[in-house]
Amino acid sequence: MVSWYSLGIALFAAIGTFLFGFDTGIATTTIAHQSWIDYMQHPSNGLTGAVVAVYIAGEAVGALGQTFIGDRLGRIRFMQLLCVIVTIGTAIQTASVNIGMFLAGRAIAGVAVGGMVATVPIYLSEISAPDQRGLIGGISGCGISFGTMMSNWVGFACSYAPYGPTQWRLPLGIQIPWGVIMFIGLATFMPDSPRQLIRNGKVEAARREFIRVRRDLKSHEAHEEFALMHAQIEFEMAREIKSYREVFTLFGRRAMVSIVVQTMTSLTGVNVIQYYQTTVCERIPFDHYLVPKFRLRGLYKSLGIPQTTILALAGVYGTVAFVSNSITTKFLTDQWGRRKMILAGLSGLILIMIYASVMQRFFQDSENRVGKGFAVLGIYLYVAWYYGMINSTTWLYGAEVLPIALRSKVMGLAAAGHFIVNVGVTEAGPSAFANIKENYYYVFVGCTTVFLVVAYFYFPETRRKTLEEIAEAFGDKVVLVDQGQIGAEQAIMEGRDEEGGSVNKADGAQPTVSTTSSVH
């Protein structure tokens, strides 16, 4: 059973992914308010489109930033840096007096949330127990869906605010305190990653943090798991990666699986399908990723639903996403396994997209209100299935399949690929819907089918395996430790206990488990 300590740490870390979901979603309704349009002196379509471009560009920069400096700073310090950046970005957006200032705030916030959404899954996967990693690591994905849900409901509530800057400054300002709160928590009570500390040569600090985060283990279990973790990381460090060419030479399959699982999720149509969940006004229709869209009015408006009700339906949409995400994270990810969830998720999405396309073809422009209701149902089936089976699973899986030496480097590339592909498929949306209409969904059916085949043949199961044992699933060498090495680790830990937890050894002391251990 998961400890309250581990659960609390995961929920607090998920503030980072919550900010990603909220900041991405809240600008949808913010930019649509006539008060914002008037205050910014009616920005041109080009400037309005720049809100999309600079934010997505910022996300990609943040994800790549993790690739270059994430390991140098460590998980905690890197997330602290991102907290500072996101606070600055959201404050600038809230206080904006012109469109240039607003765009600067969006770009800065994009850098922060792009780095956060790539780092939090890594951090949680490294501090969680093997049999709880699906729940603890999956909470990062729940943070995204919770942020999206809250942004939708805040947008709905602010639609009732009187005309003026409060309509758009208030929802933007809600984000500001969260970066400060997360920074304080990271500086005070949040544990560091034991695996990252070992990689940096701080073995004694790693022992302290390991005992702290794995308080669920009995004494001999703690000794054995830490010894294995230490030996495996030392072994992998002996083959330190110097270039990306070596990444794909030595760990090609693991790196490609991480990149593919992130990039291909963008090709499931998750953002395009959301075109039909809401619209905020004719002049500036935007989707979840702030990409202009032109056909969103058709489905809900054709049902005769008023604007405020449409915004409420957007809140319901976000709620369905969060609830389904939370349920499967708690009851399926560790129990059923990542591989099965991905395969079942992709299979279900294929069927749902075919259903949605058929319903929209026959009923969207008809007078059949029952048929239109079934067309709307397709949207809710999609969001429930995607967030329930794919959202948290893929972010977690992309992080846990990587060895410690590559986790920041490759996960940053994977997240950047996710953002870049998102831009491509959503930018193509308006013209695609104008020319091939609902048949655009079949493009995603094809992409998802390819994804399904790749996952079936190349994605191994990682459920209930330590991050070091996952190497074996990919055919990589795994270090074995004997009872003598475990006993040496036990002696060190017991020696520390007898001294009241004081540490006499330097952080850079030689490890008790050498990399000359036997391998298979």
Side-chain angles (χ1 to χ4, degrees), residues 283-447:
R283 182 181 181 276
I284 308 178
F286 280 78
D287 74 342
H288 178 70
Y289 276 88
L290 303 184
V291 179
K293 56 195 178 185
F294 303 100
R295 283 181 53 84
L296 286 179
R297 298 183 73 258
L299 195 56
Y300 283 161
K301 284 291 186 180
S302 66
L303 292 172
I305 300 174
Q307 183 65 32
T308 54
T309 305
I310 289 176
L311 292 175
L313 286 173
V316 174
Y317 179 95
T319 304
V320 170
F322 174 65
V323 171
S324 62
N325 200 164
S326 301
I327 291 173
T328 55
T329 296
K330 175 65 174 73
F331 296 107
L332 277 185
T333 312
D334 283 319
Q335 293 83 347
W336 204 28
R338 280 54 130 184
R339 174 182 165 85
K340 290 180 181 177
M341 288 186 69
I342 291 173
L343 295 178
L346 295 174
S347 300
L349 292 182
I350 292 170
L351 296 176
I352 291 170
M353 281 191 286
I354 293 173
Y355 166 85
S357 179
V358 171
M359 290 296 104
Q360 289 170 26
R361 166 172 295 213
F362 285 103
F363 298 115
Q364 182 167 337
D365 297 322
S366 74
E367 299 300 322
N368 188 330
R369 294 178 63 85
V370 174
K372 289 178 180 179
F374 278 106
V376 173
L377 176 63
I379 296 175
Y380 286 92
L381 288 174
Y382 185 96
V383 67
W385 199 254
Y386 178 86
Y387 279 90
M389 305 300 285
I390 299 294
N391 184 55
S392 287
T393 311
T394 51
W395 284 109
L396 169 64
Y397 192 78
E400 67 182 358
V401 299
L402 296 168
I404 182 71
L406 306 185
R407 213 159 278 149
S408 287
K409 294 181 178 66
V410 177
M411 192 64 176
L413 287 177
H418 173 81
F419 297 134
I420 292 169
V421 173
N422 260 335
V423 173
V425 297
T426 48
E427 284 282 4
S431 58
F433 280 122
N435 289 285
I436 61 176
K437 300 182 179 179
E438 67 282 340
N439 290 324
Y440 190 33
Y441 289 136
Y442 290 110
V443 173
F444 300 111
V445 168
C447 292

Side-chain angles (χ1 to χ4, degrees), residues 452-520:
L452 176 62
V453 172
V454 171
Y456 181 82
F457 286 105
Y458 294 102
F459 287 17
E461 183 55 73
T462 57
R463 180 177 71 103
R464 300 185 185 277
K465 291 182 172 68
T466 67
L467 294 180
E468 291 69 41
E469 290 171 342
I470 289 172
E472 185 177 6
F474 284 91
D476 293 337
K477 293 182 178 180
V478 178
V479 175
L480 299 177
V481 293
D482 56 34
Q483 290 300 316
Q485 293 167 321
I486 295 173
E489 187 61 47
Q490 181 177 359
I492 291 176
M493 289 189 177
E494 289 177 350
R496 291 178 62 253
D497 292 340
E498 291 175 359
E499 296 169 7
S502 63
V503 178
N504 296 325
K505 300 179 186 290
D507 277 344
Q510 291 297 315
T512 61
V513 183
S514 73
T515 58
T516 59
S517 303
S518 61
V519 295
H520 63 78

Side-chain angles (χ1 to χ4, degrees), residues 134-162:
L135 171 60
I136 299 302
I139 287 175
S140 63
C142 292
I144 298 174
S145 57
F146 183 67
T148 301
M149 178 186 73
M150 292 305 299
S151 70
N152 288 340
W153 284 118
V154 169
F156 170 69
C158 287
S159 67
Y160 290 95

Side-chain angles (χ1 to χ4, degrees), residues 78-143:
F78 184 60
M79 287 191 288
Q80 285 179 310
L81 174 62
L82 297 175
C83 287
V84 173
I85 295 173
V86 77
T87 303
I88 293 171
T90 53
I92 291 174
Q93 290 178 72
T94 305
S96 293
V97 296
N98 55 53
I99 188 64
M101 187 174 176
F102 189 82
L103 291 175
R106 291 300 293 167
I108 293 171
V111 170
V113 298
M116 279 289 191
V117 80
T119 304
V120 172
I122 293 177
Y123 172 73
L124 292 180
S125 70
E126 290 181 346
I127 66 168
S128 55
D131 60 341
Q132 300 168 3
R133 196 168 57 246
L135 171 60
I136 299 302
I139 287 175
S140 63
C142 292

